[in-house]
Amino acid sequence: MTQKNNQTGIDCRHYIDGKYVDSINGAVFENSNPATKEKLGTVAKGSKEDVDKAITAAKRAKDGEWKKMPMRERSKILRKVGDLILERLDELAMLETLDTGKPLWLSKTLDIPRAAHNFHFFADYMTTIGQESYQQDEVALHYAVRKPVGVVGLINPWNLPLLLMTWKLAPALAAGNTVVMKPSEVTPMTATVIAEICTDAGIPKGVVNLVHGFGEAGAALSDSQDVDAIAFTGETITGTAIMKASAPSLKKLSFELGGKNPNIIFDSADIEDAVETSIRSSFLNQGEVCLCGSRVYVQKGVYDEFVDKLVKRTKELKIGDPLADETFVGSVVSEEHYNKVLSYLEIAKEEQGTFLTGGRATPNAPGYFIDPTIIVGLDKDSRCVREEIFGPVITILLFETEEEVLKQVNDTTYGLAATMWTQDLKQAHRIAAEIEAGIVWINTWFLRDLRTPFGGMKHSGIGREGGAHSFDFYTELTNITVKL
Ligand code: NAD
């Protein structure tokens, strides 16, 4: 049903109760390729009625076969989902690239393999989960049993569409829940295929449902009394709206929100390593990774060397056709986002910033391309330094002391991730312990182990996912006490 040729998009319909369906009112919107502005297909535009239909299917299925299935069998099916993703890797990678504008090699080596790994990992991990138990002298034995939460809404953004959707879908299913997915309206294609893959792998109908659409569709999930939990990744402001709408039904919420992450280069850094990785942490996926280190702080002793080398390497990056192997920077995801990123370049100009590279839309491009941009000379309170731009744009500031940089690093409402470069072990531990962020990388970036807690503090999120943390969110505990 969703199978298509290379380089063409698919029409995206909702997936409810094991079938692809149109919107009840027949509404659709157009999906286009941001790298070419060409139409990729139509997308069903979900309204509250469509979301309610999907919730009803998920609610009907929630105490059914999936929840009751022996753990080994459920694990085997989830493993099969991972296998089928890998079998369809080329097709999924192409769809992801057409939808987002990201380089095809990146979809093939990061997005889609990681989506498969999410399923393989949680299929294995679920079989290792034990339970808490306490013997209270000779009085009682207490033990806690885990149960699925019920119907879980999964609301996702456009930057790593399948990777992030499966990051939630796999543990939600492993824990025995039923789900309604709401992918971003900007990148609907791979979620459409994953629904079919789940059925092909043997997940019973009604367990995995999907509704396309805009904020209205997401809001209908938050509003519903029949959705027991929402796992959301997206902008902080949307998280606030979801929290407000979820309050009357007191849903469980897991939020992975925005970030404005520091990348700190100390005098003792291995500069070659720091430069090579900073190229990735600045411009991978066009800078559209929530973990990107877009605030770069460089200590005085290595400032000139680091900046010169980073500028030289940035100028060598190939921008252009996402399908070409040599492309490092593709197009940003949409016209709206392109205009947002360009507006920050205007702000940087007004704030007297100096562009060492980029600072402009890529000339003569067929789509929404922006040259990788390095800005210096801005004040620490510049909007470009403080606000999430989420594009191929970084700012660099010079610092002299640890105290000075720590103060600036933590002077933000965000707290998602931080990277630091130092070969001084004591300094590494000292600074890492002081940074207000959910994740701190020392001499590396974006190195993930799915067992570790992932998430942000302050306005970057609520809760952690990954390994046992995911199971804590996607399950409820009942403590049972037996009098001895
Ligand atoms: P967004 O918040 O605009 O949209 C995310 C999803 O929420 C979309 O599916 C959208 O349709 C839906 N939505 C919009 N309004 C809604 C409402 N009122 N109720 C319910 N759902 C609603 O985010 P985006 O622009 O798609 O993604 C970029 C953002 O995501 C950035 O801020 C980035 O930092 C963040 N992000 C965070 C992480 C993380 O792990 N912390 C990972 C990736 C992206």
Side-chain angles (χ1 to χ4, degrees), residues 2 32 140 269 296 409 414:
T2 58
S32 61
V296 184
V409 159
Y414 292 115

Side-chain angles (χ1 to χ4, degrees), residues 75-86 113-126 170 450:
S75 162
K76 208 168 135 196
I77 290 176
L78 294 181
R79 181 152 270 287
K80 175 94 179 164
V81 175
D83 294 345
L84 292 178
I85 291 173
L86 291 180
R114 172 60 199 283
H117 183 50
N118 286 337
F119 273 95
H120 288 151
F121 171 80
F122 282 108
D124 291 344
Y125 198 85
M126 65 183 282
L450 303 193

Side-chain angles (χ1 to χ4, degrees), residues 27 42 82 106 136 218 221 223 263 301 316 318 357 365 380 382 386:
T42 58
L106 188 62
Q136 187 183 357
L221 281 172
D223 278 340
N263 177 18
E316 288 164 7
K318 295 271 186 285
T357 65
K380 65 179 174 37
S382 150
R386 299 187 77 84

